[in-house]
Structures are given as structure tokens and as C-alpha cells.
Amino acid sequence: MSIKQQLHALLGKQSSSDRNELVKRMRFHQSWWRAFVLAEDEGSHPMPQKKGESIGSSINKGDLSHSNFLSENAIKAAEETLNDRDRSSDKGLIKEDRLFNNLLSSQPLCFNFFGELKYNLPLATLLLKQFYPDIVEVTSVLFEYAPNAAQNNDNSAHDIAIEFTGPDNKKGLIGLECKYTEPFSPREYDKPEYGEIYEQSKAFTAPYKECIKSHYNQLFRNQLIVESALINKRYDMVYAGLFCYEDDKNALTKGLAFQSMLKDGEKRFQIITFKDFIESLQRLNLSWEQREWTMLLWARYCATQLSDEVKSKINIEEK
């Protein structure tokens, strides 16, 4: 068996439908991570229409191995979040197959980046106040969360939510939308409640019709969650934001455009990249174990150069 054949066998199937270069590259990187770091077999394709097929960026039985997570606290945060949810009433969706088995999904990514912070609030405070200076103390880190005071009348929820106290003991909320390779929802959702919150909040400078366009609809609905909670006095200060890969030009372009549609947009809506997060963490006085975690985050989600050698060997033989 040639080197190319051996590598293809280890990496597993890639998706012929990947037209987006970022998705294609990250699928390969996660396939490399599965094969060469986790030493796991390729798993089932996550798309229902591909049932019965395998794909290199998935594993099987991840709910037992927990291989999709980078730390014990990431595992603990994921399991506690699932156990604490009331599936009949909680907003937001956690698809367990994506969470445990899909290496390309942003759902396990949220727990890998923020699970450690959930159980180390002083560290969360030191890190997040670099992005949100009004933070005095982080009080909780939550996943797939929307406060009861939010009146959107839909299933919108923040992928990551941070509750904090600010100056004069004010209570604050930060809600982040997390993207890895997934596109923003192409659907244009609209409800009477959206318009009511839009008018009451006075947070937007762009016309309502612009805000609900498919390019911005997901970010708009997430912003409405925090604005609604502010209007209903659940919190005294609120922010929203986008957490994404530093080379995801689609997400960054849309995030910057949405930021410009808000009053004090750069303060009200932060864009934090994985690189920003890791660099900011590494400036802190971390333990060796915490530094190992930051290196794993970098290797898993940012360091495509680690899989370049395998990719180049395949490309060389294909020429």
C-alpha cells in the first residue's frame, strides 16, 4: 500500500460537497486530529441524507469516550449542561450527536474553550475583562442560554453566556454566538416581538428591514436576547458578540457589518477570535496544566500547519 493510500485510509472520507475552502481545510484538519491525535476510527456522517456513510471528521460513541473534548472540565460542563436542561421548555438546541461525535461542530468547541472558565471564575474574570472592561467579577458561564426575561418568542439562545457584576454592583450579561465553519442561518426570521424589542431598545442605528436580512438575522436575534433582558430589568448592562476562527472571513465580514448597525457598536458587540482568546489567556499567570490546555486549543482549532505535512504528501502524490 502506498503512502497516499495509507494516509487516505487513516484520514477517512472527505466531503465532495465542500465548496467552501475553509470548511474543506478544517474538515481535513479535524480528520487529521481524529486519526493522528485521537487514534479513533472515522465515524458516521452527521447529515441525515448521508445516513450509513462515514466521514473523516466524525467519531462514533463519543458519548462514551468523550474524545471530542480537550479537558475534564469541558466534559463536566457539557454533561452538566445536558443534565440541567429542561428539554420541554429550555431555549436553544443541543444536538447530542453533534456534541459528542462531530469534530467539525461548534457545539463541542464552545465547551472546549469555555468549560475551563465555568469552573474557574477568577480566571474567567481576568480573561474576559480584557475584552469587556466593565467586568468586575464573572459570576457564571453558561451554554445555550437565554434568560427568562428575554421576550423574543423563539428558540434563540446564546451559545455561550457570561453573567458578571460590574461597577456599583450592577448585574451584567454577555451573550456570544460561536462559529467554527458553520454558516449563519440562511433563513430570514421575523416576528412581531422582534420589532417591539427593536423599537424599545434604541440599540440599533440600521433600519429594521436591514437587521432581519438573512446576512444578519442570527446575530440580530441574539442581540435582541440581551436587549430584551435589559428592557425587562433582569440585567443592568448587556453586551453581545461573535466568537469565531480568525480566518473565517465570512463570519468576520458579517460580524463587522452588524457591529456597524448598532449604537456604540464596538462596545456593544465584540468580535473575539480564537487567536484573541488564546493570546489573551497566555498573557496571564497560568499553571502548567492551563498552558497545556491553551496549546491544545491552538493545535485543535487553529494550527492547520500541523496537518499541512500530511496534506502536502497527498497533494504531491496526486500531481
Side-chain angles (χ1 to χ4, degrees):
M1 185 182 290
S2 71
I3 290 175
K4 175 183 172 182
Q5 289 171 325
Q6 292 176 53
L7 291 174
H8 273 304
L10 286 168
L11 290 165
K13 292 181 182 177
Q14 303 300 295
S15 177
S16 59
S17 63
D18 286 340
R19 299 290 180 257
N20 182 296
E21 287 302 315
L22 174 65
V23 176
K24 187 183 296 186
R25 185 66 188 88
M26 288 307 181
R27 188 183 302 283
F28 187 93
H29 189 66
Q30 292 305 323
S31 299
W32 168 84
W33 181 267
R34 173 194 55 75
F36 293 96
V37 179
L38 301 180
E40 292 266 10
D41 292 331
E42 63 182 321
S44 301
H45 202 294
M47 301 299 289
Q49 61 268 35
K50 301 282 188 177
K51 188 176 181 181
E53 297 184 23
S54 59
I55 191 78
S57 54
S58 286
I59 58 175
N60 288 322
K61 299 182 180 179
D63 56 330
L64 300 179
S65 69
H66 295 134
S67 295
N68 212 2
F69 301 104
L70 296 177
S71 69
E72 290 300 317
N73 278 338
I75 297 168
K76 182 180 176 183
E79 292 186 332
E80 281 190 5
T81 300
L82 287 173
N83 291 335
D84 290 346
R85 289 174 64 79
D86 181 349
R87 289 172 174 78
S88 64
S89 62
D90 276 7
K91 295 185 176 185
L93 298 172
I94 295 181
K95 296 181 179 179
E96 294 188 29
D97 184 61
R98 282 185 65 207
L99 177 64
F100 291 113
N101 297 323
N102 188 342
L103 278 71
L104 202 60
S105 168
S106 62
Q107 286 198 340
L109 182 149
C110 291
F111 292 100
N112 283 329
F113 272 90
F114 288 86
E116 291 293 320
L117 301 185
K118 179 178 177 65
Y119 304 107
N120 191 333
L121 296 180
L123 179 62
T125 299
L126 290 171
L127 172 65
L128 292 167
K129 73 190 311 179
Q130 295 181 63
F131 303 102
Y132 300 91
D134 285 338
I135 290 176
V136 173
E137 180 182 11
V138 171
T139 55
S140 62
V141 177
L142 305 159
F143 302 89
E144 283 295 331
Y145 175 77
N148 292 332
Q151 301 297 315
N152 296 39
N153 192 27
D154 63 14
N155 286 321
S156 298
H158 295 302
D159 293 326
I160 304 149
I162 298 104
E163 293 184 313
F164 67 93
T165 54
D168 301 319
N169 211 32
K170 290 180 178 177
K171 187 174 182 182
L173 174 68
I174 300 163
L176 298 177
E177 173 70 18
C178 179
K179 291 293 179 192
Y180 185 27
T181 62
E182 302 97 328
F184 288 101
S185 172
R187 290 187 60 183
E188 190 173 294
Y189 294 90
D190 192 10
K191 286 178 175 286
E193 289 85 354
Y194 299 173
E196 292 171 10
I197 300 168
Y198 171 90
E199 292 294 340
Q200 291 179 58
S201 72
K202 310 298 183 186
F204 302 91
T205 58
Y208 179 78
K209 287 294 184 183
E210 184 71 13
C211 294
I212 62 169
K213 284 183 177 179
S214 60
H215 287 80
Y216 315 115
N217 196 276
Q218 198 169 356
L219 295 175
F220 175 60
R221 286 183 285 123
N222 281 353
Q223 190 74 37
L224 292 179
I225 295 173
V226 296
E227 300 300 339
S228 176
L230 181 64
I231 291 166
N232 287 288
K233 302 185 187 318
R234 172 70 183 271
Y235 298 93
D236 304 303
M237 51 202 314
V238 296
Y239 304 104
L242 173 64
F243 184 60
C244 66
Y245 177 53
E246 56 269 17
D247 289 334
D248 187 344
K249 293 181 174 58
N250 178 57
L252 291 170
T253 298
K254 289 177 179 174
L256 286 167
F258 182 72
Q259 187 183 70
S260 71
M261 298 160 69
L262 297 164
K263 292 179 182 176
D264 301 319
E266 291 186 8
K267 181 178 181 181
R268 192 184 291 267
F269 182 88
Q270 285 270 2
I271 299 172
I272 303 171
T273 68
F274 304 165
K275 180 181 177 182
D276 296 332
F277 183 100
I278 294 168
E279 284 185 337
S280 297
L281 261 176
Q282 291 179 336
R283 292 190 199 103
L284 301 176
N285 184 22
L286 302 179
S287 67
W288 177 248
E289 290 76 16
Q290 290 167 336
R291 291 204 179 276
E292 285 185 323
W293 162 56
T294 69
M295 289 184 277
L296 285 172
L297 289 174
W298 171 78
R300 167 89 187 260
Y301 293 110
C302 304
T304 54
Q305 60 266 42
L306 296 178
S307 57
D308 276 346
E309 186 66 24
V310 173
K311 193 171 186 297
S312 67
K313 279 185 166 58
I314 292 175
N315 289 340
I316 287 169
E317 292 208 21
E318 287 179 342
K319 287 179 181 177

